Structure formats: structure tokens, C-alpha cells
């Protein structure tokens, strides 16, 4: 076999590979055997037709193509070894130059080698752990949050006017240039004043109205409004307030503490809240420290990332987004329409994060190699058990799904990545 290599743009390498005709002939024999098992040939049992009959039945070119498909992977593997290319980051692009009976096979395989990575400092990183102080105001805010959940909705006093924060029900009908538009009408619609759930300026104009009163509210739809036919247009909404309700909060005292917790006194409840807030602050600080350590180790790494790796990561992120949207009953096309963007802009938005993800992934792979971090059966079992607990399944069920979907390599990669990150975290300088 003869091999030559040429470096082209975007870190691609074109391997020109020449395989001796004798190897093609052997591959044709294997190809005929495979095809004989795949097609039904009259007069022969499956897999028993001789080469000459198979060639006559499916055509010589089909046999040659099947033979090429059989010999190309090994030839590319050998060619990569010949050129000291250890691994590639995407499937080779193959272009046949010569594929004829009795002639050497010549083809080109365009590959993108895994980039060279130079690790910087990743052990003993000096990352400060900043724990936010829990204040009396933080505790009081939590108490008020609990009180808000314990509140009751009551009618506003007779004769009361709408105030910021009130809960109203209203009828409304919108018009643009005197013409009603689709989606512009509602009956007994619930609206909290100040929630900003309506067009900017709409809710403010209802303040001061009494139950039963009517008013024309003048607004302009935002330029980026999701309904393009309404974007930027001035509209008038004829509104009528049907009811006004307000929250009635409980008095915050020992009785409140007893009713809303396991504690007998307000002071005991506050002490528990402070302790939980402190634990949350510690966890948040630890997470931030870990994130900074990972980012620092990544930034300390030198690597020239092939564009195709970033492209592939962008597509992975978009597929992930599609799955999340599908779980919510929405298609990607609908999301793009609502967001006022398109797939090209979305890809561009993701590129910076995608590059960071790829760079971090390459750094972690190199650290794992440098520190000889391995994944053993116990690691995989632990990961499976955590997955089972998260999804309410048994480890056996999770293993079955992973095996059936061919995701074992993905599982190993995930565990290796997690173990390597933990290694970096465990070696943060104290």
C-alpha cells in the first residue's frame, strides 16, 4: 500500500491511498459472499451462489463498491498509522479515484486529526472560595416569602381603586386603526397589576380604576413582538375592570411559625432559615470555585481547535435544544419564529459556548491521559445507580437501555470526564 498526505485548510489532511489490485480481488470474494447472503438469487440457497453468478445478478459495479466498502476502513487505519495520525475527530470523507477490475485501488480520504494539546497548570490552582454572608435581611426575605405562600386572596374594600400589585379580572378588546385583531380580546381575564405580563404601559393605565369602570388604554406593540403583523403598531384596548382582589398576609409571630413549620417560635424558625441559607451559600461558593478552577485549567491549555469540532458541538447543542422543546410540545421552527431569529443566527449564538465546551473537553481528555485516570466497572455501576435513582428506575433497567441504544461508550466518556473534573477540584490549592 502506498500513502501520501497533504495538509489543506481547516486542519484537514488529505490521504491519497493506493491499494494493490490483489487486495481488491480478495475483497471482491468477500463482497460476493456478503451479497449472496443479502439478496435472493433464483436456484441457489442464501449465501451459496458462486462469485460469477452473484456478479451477473447484482452487476460488477455493485460488487466493486461492496469490495471497496470492505477494504477502505482498514486501508484508512493503516494509512493513518503510516502518517503518525493517532486519532481523528470526525468520520473521513472518502473520494474514489480508481476502482476497476485488475487495477490498483486509488482513493482519497480527507481526515481531521485530533489536535495537539499542551496542558498548562491544572493542579494546585489558587481559586478563592467566596462565601456570601447571610444577613438579617436575607432571613426576613425568606420569612416574607413563606408568609406570601400562607396569604389569602380577599376582595378589596368597597370603593377601592386598582393599585400596583392588585389582582384584577377584566374584559378587554383591542383595535388597530379601528379594526379588531386576532388574539386581542379577553373576558374575565386575570391580571396582576405590575406583573408586566401585558404590553409595556398597559397595566399602569389601569391603576386608579374602580370595579365596574371602563377605560381606553393606548399602547404600542414592541418592535420585537413575536406576532410580526402587530410589531411596532399602535393599539387601543377598551377595558372594563370586573373585580379587584388583594393578598391578606398573616401576622408574622410565633403562631405564624407554628402554622407554617415544625418550630414553636419565630426565633427558632429564623435560626433554621439562617442555617439553611448558610449551607446554600457554602454550596454556591463551592460550585463557583469549581467552575472557576475548570475555566482556569481550560484557559491554561493551548490547543488549535479544528473548526469541524466546533461545528459538531453546535449541532449537538441544537439537537439537545430540540429535545427540550419537544418535551414542552414545541418544535424548533416555532421557537425560532417566536424568538424572531433563524437557524443560522442560532448557530452563531452557540459558537462561543461550543468552542469553550470543546476546549474544556480536550483539556479533560489530556489531563486524564497525563494522570492515568481510568474508568473501572465500579465507576460505571455507581453512575448507573445514580441514573436509576434520578429516573425512578432500577439499575438493571438503565443498563438494558444503555446496551440497547449502544451508549456504553458515551457512559464511559461521561464517567471519565466527571472523574477528571473531580481530580482537578480535589487538587485546588488550600
Amino acid at each position: 500500500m502506498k500513502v501520501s498526505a497533504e495538509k489543506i485548510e481547516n486542519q484537514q489532511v488529505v490521504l491519497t491511498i493506493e491499494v494493490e489490485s490483489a487486495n481488491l480481488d480478495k475483497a471482491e470474494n468477500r463482497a460476493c459472499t456478503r451479497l449472496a447472503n443479502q439478496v435472493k438469487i433464483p436456484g441457489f440457497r442464501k449465501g451459496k451462489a458462486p462469485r460469477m453468478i452473484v456478479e451477473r445478478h447484482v452487476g460488477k459495479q455493485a460488487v466493486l463498491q461492496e469490495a471497496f466498502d470492505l477494504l477502505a476502513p482498514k486501508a484508512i487505519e493503516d494509512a493513518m498509522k503510516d502518517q503518525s495520525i493517532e486519532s481523528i475527530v470526525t468520520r473521513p470523507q472518502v473520494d474514489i479515484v480508481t476502482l476497476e477490475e485488475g487495477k490498483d485501488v486509488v482513493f482519497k480520504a480527507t481526515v481531521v486529526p485530533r489536535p495537539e494539546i499542551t496542558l498548562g497548570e491544572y493542579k494546585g490552582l489558587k481559586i478563592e472560595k467566596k462565601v456570601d454572608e447571610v444577613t438579617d435581611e436575607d432571613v426576613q426575605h425568606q420569612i416574607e416569602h413563606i408568609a406570601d405562600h400562607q396569604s389569602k386572596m380577599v376582595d378589596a374594600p368597597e370603593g377601592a381603586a386598582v393599585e400596583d400589585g392588585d389582582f384584577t379580572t377584566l374584559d378587554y378588546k383591542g383595535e388597530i386603526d379601528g379594526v379588531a385583531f386576532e388574539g386581542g380580546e379577553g373576558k374575565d381575564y386575570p391580571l396582576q397589576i405590575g406583573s408586566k405580563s401585558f404590553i409595556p404601559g398597559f397595566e399602569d393605565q389601569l391603576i386608579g380604576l374602580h370595579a365596574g369602570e371602563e377605560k381606553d388604554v393606548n399602547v404600542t406593540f414592541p418592535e420585537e413582538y413575536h406576532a410580526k403583523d402587530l410589531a411596532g403598531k399602535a393599539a387601543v384596548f377598551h377595558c372594563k375592570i370586573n373585580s379587584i382582589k388583594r393578598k391578606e398576609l398573616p401576622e408574622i409571630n410565633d403562631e405564624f411559625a407554628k402554622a407554617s413549620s415544625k418550630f414553636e417560635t419565630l426565633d427558632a424558625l429564623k435560626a433554621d432559615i439562617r442555617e439553611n441559607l448558610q449551607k446554600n451559600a457554602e454550596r454556591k461558593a463551592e460550585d463557583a470555585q469549581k467552575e472557576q478552577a475548570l475555566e482556569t485549567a481550560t484557559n491554561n491549555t493551548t490547543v488549535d481547535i479544528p473548526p469541524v469540532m466546533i461545528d459538531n458541538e453546535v449541532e449537538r447543542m441544537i439537537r439537545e435544544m430540540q429535545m427540550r422543546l419537544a418535551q414542552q410540545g414545541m418544535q424548533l421552527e416555532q421557537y425560532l419564529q417566536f424568538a424572531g431569529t433563524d437557524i443560522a443566527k442560532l448557530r452563531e449564538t452557540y459558537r462561543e459556548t461550543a468552542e469553550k465546551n470543546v476546549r474544556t473537553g480536550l483539556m479533560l481528555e489530556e489531563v486524564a491521559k497525563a494522570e492515568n485516570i481510568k474508568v473501572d466497572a465500579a465507576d460505571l455501576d455507581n453512575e448507573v445507580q445514580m441514573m436509576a435513582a434520578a429516573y425512578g428506575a432500577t439499575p438493571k433497567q438503565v443498563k438494558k437501555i444503555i446496551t440497547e441504544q449502544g451508549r456504553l461508550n458515551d457512559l464511559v466518556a461521561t464517567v471519565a470526564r466527571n472523574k477528571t473534573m473531580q481530580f482537578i477540584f480535589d487538587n485546588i490549592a488550600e
Side-chain angles (χ1 to χ4, degrees):
M1 187 176 77
K2 297 178 183 178
V3 181
S4 63
E6 178 189 3
K7 292 183 179 180
I8 58 174
E9 73 278 359
N10 296 328
Q11 300 181 50
Q12 299 177 97
V13 176
V14 179
L15 300 172
T16 300
I17 304 168
E18 186 174 337
V19 181
E20 292 80 0
S21 59
N23 289 335
L24 175 61
D25 188 62
K26 291 177 184 177
E28 284 183 87
N29 288 331
R30 290 164 54 207
C32 285
T33 300
R34 177 183 286 190
L35 289 169
N37 279 293
Q38 293 174 350
V39 298
K40 187 175 181 179
I41 301 177
F44 295 91
R45 285 181 296 159
K46 242 183 181 181
K48 298 301 181 180
R51 174 173 170 173
M52 180 178 65
I53 299 299
V54 173
E55 288 180 345
R56 188 184 306 161
H57 186 77
V58 302
K60 184 63 181 176
Q61 198 57 42
V63 173
L64 283 171
Q65 185 61 55
E66 186 74 17
F68 177 81
D69 292 343
L70 287 169
L71 67 80
K74 181 67 166 59
I76 293 171
E77 183 182 336
D78 291 342
M80 286 170 54
K81 288 179 183 176
D82 180 84
Q83 296 297 315
S84 300
I85 298 173
E86 290 186 13
S87 62
I88 54 179
V89 299
T90 188
R91 293 181 66 179
Q93 178 187 319
V94 176
D95 296 296
I96 298 173
V97 178
T98 303
L99 181 60
E100 297 178 27
E101 183 78 26
K103 292 186 178 181
D104 291 349
V105 178
V106 181
F107 69 99
K108 295 179 184 292
T110 303
V111 298
V112 181
R114 183 177 185 271
E116 291 186 7
I117 303 159
T118 304
L119 289 172
E121 188 178 29
Y122 60 88
K123 286 189 289 191
L125 297 172
K126 296 177 181 178
I127 310 293
E128 185 181 356
K129 183 179 174 181
K130 298 179 182 177
V131 183
D132 292 336
E133 179 188 356
V134 177
T135 66
D136 291 341
E137 288 75 15
D138 295 330
V139 175
Q140 185 60 30
H141 177 74
Q142 287 297 108
I143 289 287
E144 291 171 358
H145 183 69
I146 296 170
D148 186 67
H149 277 279
Q150 300 288 330
S151 65
K152 299 176 183 177
M153 199 69 68
V154 298
D155 291 326
E158 188 175 350
V162 174
E163 297 178 2
D164 190 27
D166 283 350
F167 294 81
T168 66
T169 58
L170 72 155
D171 299 337
Y172 63 87
K173 184 176 182 179
E175 296 180 349
I176 294 177
D177 296 330
V179 179
F181 55 89
E182 185 178 354
E185 185 173 2
K187 294 288 186 182
D188 261 337
Y189 190 90
L191 174 65
Q192 183 183 13
I193 307 303
S195 63
K196 296 183 170 60
S197 53
F198 268 36
I199 304 164
F202 184 100
E203 295 164 29
D204 293 341
Q205 295 180 56
L206 299 179
I207 293 175
L209 293 181
H210 298 80
E213 280 194 288
E214 301 182 18
K215 181 178 181 178
D216 284 342
V217 172
N218 294 279
V219 294
T220 301
F221 283 94
E223 292 291 344
E224 67 279 6
Y225 196 67
H226 63 83
K228 299 300 182 185
D229 56 328
L230 301 178
K233 293 185 178 179
V236 178
F237 285 85
H238 182 71
C239 300
K240 179 186 176 184
I241 301 295
N242 294 330
S243 69
I244 306 170
K245 292 183 181 293
R246 292 172 182 168
K247 282 184 178 180
E248 185 175 80
L249 298 171
E251 187 177 350
I252 298 175
N253 52 24
D254 289 345
E255 292 303 316
F256 162 77
K258 289 178 185 179
S260 57
S261 72
K262 62 182 179 180
F263 301 101
E264 294 293 319
T265 66
L266 182 60
D267 286 344
L269 174 58
K270 285 184 175 180
D272 183 68
I273 289 172
R274 184 180 293 275
E275 182 181 349
N276 287 329
L277 287 175
Q278 190 63 50
K279 288 178 180 177
N280 288 338
E282 290 279 351
R283 280 195 293 269
K284 184 178 177 183
E286 187 174 311
D287 290 343
Q289 184 189 40
K290 289 179 177 179
E291 185 177 341
Q292 185 61 48
L294 200 60
E295 187 172 335
T296 301
T298 299
N299 291 339
N300 290 343
T301 300
T302 302
V303 57
D304 188 10
I305 302 174
V308 68
M309 293 188 76
I310 300 173
D311 293 339
N312 290 344
E313 176 63 10
V314 167
E315 295 308 314
R316 186 198 67 78
M317 293 169 70
I318 290 176
R319 287 195 302 273
E320 195 175 82
M321 181 184 189
Q322 281 180 299
M323 287 189 288
R324 289 197 306 270
L325 290 171
Q327 290 172 351
Q328 301 168 21
M330 182 182 290
Q331 298 296 317
L332 178 61
E333 292 73 18
Q334 292 173 297
Y335 167 81
L336 294 174
Q337 184 178 358
F338 289 144
T341 187
D342 56 38
I343 193 67
K345 290 177 183 175
L346 183 65
R347 285 194 177 99
E348 195 57 38
T349 300
Y350 277 164
R351 285 198 74 79
E352 185 176 345
T353 301
E355 181 176 355
K356 182 179 178 181
N357 290 348
V358 172
R359 189 177 297 276
T360 299
L362 289 170
M363 179 274 293
L364 290 172
E365 288 177 15
E366 201 67 18
V367 169
K369 191 187 302 181
E371 299 295 338
N372 198 30
I373 296 172
K374 305 291 185 183
V375 174
D376 56 29
D379 294 323
L380 294 177
D381 285 341
N382 288 337
E383 184 68 18
V384 167
Q385 287 175 6
M386 287 191 290
M387 291 172 67
Y391 291 105
T394 65
K396 186 176 181 180
Q397 289 171 325
V398 172
K399 283 182 179 179
K400 185 173 184 289
I401 292 171
I402 289 171
T403 303
E404 289 177 348
Q405 295 183 356
R407 291 170 53 195
L408 182 59
N409 288 339
D410 292 340
L411 180 65
V412 172
T414 297
V415 174
R417 180 186 176 94
N418 291 340
K419 285 188 73 172
T420 307
M421 285 193 291
Q422 192 60 51
F423 175 86
I424 293 173
F425 302 152
D426 290 342
N427 284 277
I428 293 174
E430 295 184 1

